[in-house]
């Protein structure tokens, strides 16, 4: 048997339509909330200062992630950068 508790934030996440920062205490389910409720075109979890992991568990270089984020946003899509505080100071194109 699975127990599923609805969060009041779920509807807010579903209705995001502009730049939004989701933050909160550690281990409270922010990533799961985003993954389960936001229609996104690109997702990257920043693993360390050089690499990220996409939704298909592919490892990507940070420069490639940032290019994909820019491309996604320029097309009007939704991009998620999880654990963005791990990003190095980015000076790429």
């Amino acid at each position: 048997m699975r127990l599923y508790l609805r969060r009041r934030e779920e509807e807010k996440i579903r209705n995001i339509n502009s730049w939004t920062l989701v933050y909160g205490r550690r281990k409270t389910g922010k990533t799961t909330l985003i993954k389960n409720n936001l229609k996104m075109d690109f997702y990257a979890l920043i693993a360390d200062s050089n690499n990220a992991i996409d939704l298909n568990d592919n490892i990507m270089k940070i420069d490639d992630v940032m290019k994909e984020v820019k491309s996604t946003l320029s097309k009007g899509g939704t991009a998620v950068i999880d654990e963005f505080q791990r990003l190095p100071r980015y000076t790429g194109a």
Side-chain angles (χ1 to χ4, degrees), residues 19-75:
W19 194 98
T20 303
L21 173 66
V22 177
Y23 66 96
R25 293 187 349 225
R26 295 180 63 208
K27 305 289 185 185
T28 57
K30 295 177 297 295
T31 296
T32 301
L33 180 69
I34 296 290
K35 284 182 172 181
N36 291 340
N37 292 286
L38 182 65
K39 293 178 184 172
M40 60 189 128
D41 301 299
F42 179 73
Y43 171 91
L45 169 68
I46 307 302
D48 58 41
S49 61
N50 297 313
N51 300 298
I53 303 168
D54 69 10
L55 279 177
N56 298 318
D57 292 330
N58 297 316
I59 297 174
M60 302 175 69
K61 293 293 181 192
I62 295 296
D63 285 341
D64 295 333
V65 168
M66 297 311 290
K67 288 176 187 173
E68 187 63 34
V69 167
K70 287 179 181 181
S71 174
T72 300
L73 295 176
S74 70
K75 295 174 187 172

